[in-house]
Amino acid sequence: MASPGIEVELLVKGHSDLGEVAPEVKPSDSQTSVAIADLEWREMEGDDCGFHYGDGTNEAQDNDFPTVERSRFQEMLSLLGLETYQVQKLTLQDSLQISFDSMKNWAPQVPKDLPWHFLRKLQALNAEARNTTMVLDVPPEAWPAEKESQAEEEMMYWDPAEDVAADIYSFSELPMPDTPVNPLDLLCALLLSSDTFLQQEVLLKMSLCQFALPLVLPDSENHCHTFLLWALRGVVRTWWFQPLRSLGSFREDSVVLSRVPTFAFVRMDVSSNSKSQLLNAVLSPARRQWDCFWHRDLNLGTNPREISDGLVEISWFFPSGKEDLDVFPEPMAFLNLRGDIGSHWLQFKLLTEVSSAVFILTDNISKKEYKLLYSMKESTTKYYFILSPYRGKRNTNLRFLNRLIPVLKIDHSHVLVKVSSTDSEGFVRRIRAIMCSVARSPCRRVSVEDMAHAARKLGLRVDEDFEECQKAKDRMEKILRKIKDVDAYKRDELRLQGEPARRAAQAEREFCQLQWVPEPPEKHRAELRRRVLELRVQQNGQEPTSGVQEFILGISSPSPSERQYFLRWMEWGLARLGQPRPRQPPETLLTLRPKLGGPSDLTEPLWPEPLGVEHFLREMGQFYEAESCLIEAGRLPAGQRRFAHFPGVAVELLLGGLPLELVDGATLSIPVRWVTGLLKELHARLDRRSRLVVLSALGVPGTGKSTLLNTMFGLKFATGRSCSPRGAFMQLLPVAEGFSQDLGCDQILVIDSGGLISGALASAGGRFELEASLATLLMGLSNVTVVSLAETKDIPPAVLHAFLRLEKMGHMPNYQFVYQNLHDLPVPSPKPRDRRQLLDPPSDLSRATHLEKQGGGFRTLAGLAERQHVWHIPALWHGAPPMAAVSLGYSEAIFELKRCLLENIRNGLSNQNQNIQQLIERLRRL
């Protein structure tokens, strides 16, 4: 039976409080409606619409781009200074370079500043990154000489009734700001000028800021839309199901793989209502407005879009498990098409094929729009109309709506009316209720991967469908197919990291300690040397397993892009290995504390360490260590080396932005030969640009030190105790050539202590001494050390012990104590008394001071801290996770810390800078 027709009453007095549905619904002859629709459709069949999208390869895309669009695109690139990046794309490493602009909180003055301003703000997770307002900084010498002294007064107090036209018009000689750029145009131009890895980083940072992400990127120059599947793969989100915090209620997954109900919002012709504002209201909790989607009421939101029409954006809602905070009980996805569906039919067709429901906002339904919608008669998607009838044509809307009823299988509940007098909060509640009803019923649930399959069928280009990317994926899958059990794989495939590696590290540690004994027993020294050689012979007798060999082939590819693709695929594939198991929520993980006595084996993990890329690189390092040890001892001729090229392979990854392990997380030791080989190879690659400053961050896992470094410099250190490796990692930051002379270095080597410092008490015996030695090593290598603290008395005893040792050695880096507000508490002002409280010695420090026989050394440290900086960083999140964005206060405080660190380096307060050869020598001595 056909659905009844509807007539929407357009009188104000008839609207309910919700304002969602017109009050009068009068049945009409549905058969007549269908007959009229069929007749009109037959009459229009001869029209050439160009919508033959069966295989997606026809002229529909060409019709989307008039010839004038090409010049608009080129003009936009030229305006933003991006035309040079159309052949050689902008890379992630380009965006990470330290330059003079890294030290100042500058505002863009010309359009060419906007892309770099956006990237820097986004790297710092600044919520104002999308603001493209330009500030014209006019020097006084540019003013008319006769007006210099009176310029401000005349501009502020000009009376239009007075005849001061000559005075006012004289200011036309001043330079005026350039034409503002719509933020969506800036985003599209930047992404089209970036390689796929920078695109991925941009979208990851945007997701942390809770910005809507581009899903379909229009490219008017090449007449091709791109579906951004690869760019979205790095976005991982967490959420909770109700009941809150029960076992298994916590989930973490890539947004690309999660299948959720999806709702699309589109505009047909003209709409008085803003899609983006409506979406923001739907996503926002009570009394808190989130501007996830950029809209007309934001700064420069009304600027005309030049190249971003046709852009499809996506955002998600993820529940926290708290009924009073969650606007939806389950994850949902939201799509927003920029522009009119009539001009971007291909994107609209895609949305209808992937959405659970489509909301169409319009003031008018004309013959053209009716024809477009009629072609969707085979679609199983649910359609809802949101009308603003006062600006539309009443009778025309009614006629076409009645004809669409049987075609789209809708009824009166699918037509909503929103006018200026409509209760906005009630209307939003109605929209949410419709979405919840759709989600509860059998509906289409899709992932971004599913959307990509639909996009391919329609002829859209998918950014993942490149030969290099697919070859890297195939290699990753070949490795992962053999991993059935992680522990068994580590034991059987990564053989050099087992018990022989631990015993060798322990023997070498004891051998090194003998160097500080005045007259060490020669017999004991010889025994240790024999044990080390015996263990290294065993390791060198092994062959790399098939999985390790496949990994080495992947990172040795002559194509830099294929190497990067392979590493990303490996990271994501390994991260998903353990996900099917129920997981504990982060609150439980953050409250885990190590046992006071420590495990019986000093290198036994205090929490599980997941399998990661670092394990494969660690295996390569062990092969190199064993071989180098035998060559040093004369047990192996140098001409028989098999693994001498391993450091060069790994350094290519370091130069490409991958953090490399400095301290082995399995043995809690530095593989000195391997790290020395890496640094020597790095010195050879950098040639004359090898002056280094070493910056380290130490603290107990969970105090936010990795997040701090990543936000400050755009680095890629692992975050979160549940997924972080135990070892200390290093990553290289290049300094721009024009700034290196001023800064005094060519590279900044950043070290993250990872999970090395557990916070074990001084009474924990051997583990404390081991952690103290490692902390001494990392701080001893550093010019600048950031100590990350979660509480005012949370300086780990091992770090305090390292302070005392380094003071005895005469090496005192530039220290910055950073107190991070992890619990959204009021942030105190950094007063001198806070510094003294921060550095009051805890009761368990007695062992550290006894070990160094420096009872008064701690007071020296306190005095040092008075001369250094203590920073109070606001809470990371603004709102309640998982829908919280990074707070503006956190971003701004991190920038000030970064500026201070770079200023100290430039002013020489970070001790004497060193080259790589000097760093190698210091590593050996420490």
Side-chain angles (χ1 to χ4, degrees), residues 76 80 82 111 114-118 129-132 181-191 307-308:
M76 181 60 64
L80 297 173
L82 295 173
L114 293 175
W116 303 103
H117 179 263
F118 174 76
R130 296 179 295 185
N131 189 348
T132 58
V181 177
N182 188 289
L184 295 176
D185 286 339
L186 171 63
L187 177 62
C188 289
L190 181 61
L191 291 176
I307 63 171
S308 55

Side-chain angles (χ1 to χ4, degrees), residues 548-591:
V548 174
Q549 290 182 29
E550 198 69 38
F551 178 83
I552 294 171
L553 288 175
I555 63 174
S556 303
S557 169
S559 166
S561 295
E562 188 174 332
R563 290 198 298 266
Q564 291 296 322
Y565 279 123
F566 174 70
L567 285 171
R568 300 291 173 89
W569 280 120
M570 283 294 294
E571 289 170 358
W572 300 328
L574 294 171
R576 285 188 58 79
L577 285 177
Q579 284 195 356
R581 299 193 300 267
R583 294 186 54 192
Q584 293 176 300
E587 283 78 359
T588 305
L589 293 166
L590 287 175
T591 54

Side-chain angles (χ1 to χ4, degrees), residues 38 114 751:
D38 289 344
L114 293 175
I751 300 175

